[in-house]
Amino acid sequence: MLNRIFYTLCLLLIFVSSVNAQSADEQHIVRAKVIDGDTIPCVVLDEVRAFARHKFKNRRAQIRYTRLVRNVKKVLPYARMCAAEISIINEGLAELSTEKEKKAYLKKKEKELFEKFEQPLRHLTITQGRILIKLIDRETGSTSFELIRTLKGKFSAFVWQGVARIFGSNLKSEYDSEIKDAEIENIILLIDEGLI
C-alpha cells in the first residue's frame, strides 16, 4: 500500500512538473517524420565550425603566420567593399542605355572611388597589395585584370598590369582556396567567426 501511494505521488509530481515546464512561452512547433509508426521530430541546427589550434614548427613560422593574419585583416574589408562597389556599378550600368551615358557614369564612379580609396590603398605594402588582388578575385569571382578590362577597356587593363608587374604583382592572380591560398582561406573563416 505504501509503495502504491509513493508511486502515485511520484507520477503526480512528474506530471505537475512537466505541465509547469511546458508553459505557452516554452512550447515549440517543429516538423516531424513518422517512421514505422513512431513520430520523430526534425530540427534544423545551426552550422557549427570547429577549428584546430594552429601549431607552429618554430618561432619564424609563428611570426610569418601572425604577419599574414594582420595583412589579411587589413585588406579583407577593402576586397569586400570592392565587391559591393562592383555590384553597384553593374546595376547602374544595366539601367543606362547609351554608351555615352555608360562612359559618363563610369568616369563619375571612378572619380568617387579614387577620392574614397586612393589614400588608404597607397599605404598598403606590396605583400598586402598581392593579398588584396587575390581577395578581390575571391570576393567578386573575377580577377582584377578582368574587372579593369570589362569596365575600362583592354588598354587600361594592359597599362595597370604593367604597373603591377613593375612592383612584382600580377593582376591576373587567381585565388585558390584549396591549395595555394588555403592558409588565407582559413584565416578568413576565423575572422568571419570572430575568433581572431
Side-chain angles (χ1 to χ4, degrees):
M1 179 76 175
L2 193 57
N3 283 343
R4 194 179 229 181
I5 293 173
F6 178 72
Y7 288 127
T8 307
L9 284 174
C10 286
L11 286 174
L12 185 61
L13 185 62
I14 291 171
F15 176 73
V16 169
S17 64
S18 68
V19 169
N20 287 338
Q22 290 185 353
S23 65
D25 294 340
E26 294 180 19
Q27 291 181 1
H28 299 284
I29 299 173
V30 296
R31 290 182 177 197
K33 275 187 175 179
V34 178
I35 300 174
D36 297 330
D38 195 14
T39 304
I40 301 172
C42 297
V43 180
V44 178
L45 300 175
D46 293 334
E47 178 181 350
V48 176
R49 291 185 177 161
F51 297 97
R53 280 191 178 255
H54 203 84
K55 295 185 181 179
F56 304 102
K57 294 179 183 176
N58 52 35
R59 178 85 172 125
R60 180 179 281 170
Q62 183 178 6
I63 291 169
R64 190 188 76 67
Y65 181 78
T66 304
R67 190 175 296 137
L68 183 61
V69 168
R70 184 181 66 238
N71 288 338
V72 171
K73 278 182 163 183
K74 185 163 185 174
V75 299
L76 182 61
Y78 292 119
R80 291 188 171 159
M81 284 187 267
C82 175
E85 290 293 336
I86 293 294
S87 177
I88 291 169
I89 288 171
N90 286 336
E91 289 173 8
L93 287 173
E95 294 174 2
L96 302 174
S97 56
T98 66
E99 284 299 314
K100 186 177 180 181
E101 290 174 331
K102 289 180 181 181
K103 281 187 178 183
Y105 177 75
L106 283 175
K107 194 169 191 170
K108 177 184 153 208
K109 286 306 254 182
E110 181 181 12
K111 185 178 178 186
E112 289 174 9
L113 292 174
F114 263 97
E115 289 173 4
K116 186 175 181 181
F117 294 112
E118 183 179 17
Q119 285 306 314
L121 293 179
R122 281 193 186 268
H123 295 287
L124 296 179
T125 65
I126 291 174
T127 304
Q128 290 168 346
R130 288 179 186 151
I131 294 170
L132 178 61
I133 289 169
K134 288 187 175 216
L135 292 183
I136 286 173
D137 181 42
R138 178 188 188 270
E139 296 296 321
T140 63
S142 300
T143 65
S144 300
F145 183 83
E146 292 168 349
L147 292 171
I148 295 169
R149 189 179 66 205
T150 302
L151 296 173
K152 295 292 292 169
K154 290 179 182 178
F155 182 73
S156 288
F158 176 75
V159 169
W160 283 107
Q161 173 70 353
V163 171
R165 294 306 268 170
I166 289 171
F167 291 102
S169 297
N170 184 0
L171 295 179
K172 295 178 182 178
S173 296
E174 294 182 355
Y175 186 76
D176 180 14
S177 64
E178 298 295 320
I179 299 168
K180 290 191 321 189
D181 302 314
E183 196 169 33
I184 293 174
E185 183 66 24
N186 189 41
I187 291 169
I188 292 170
L189 293 174
L190 290 171
I191 290 170
D192 289 344
E193 292 291 323
L195 298 175
I196 57 173

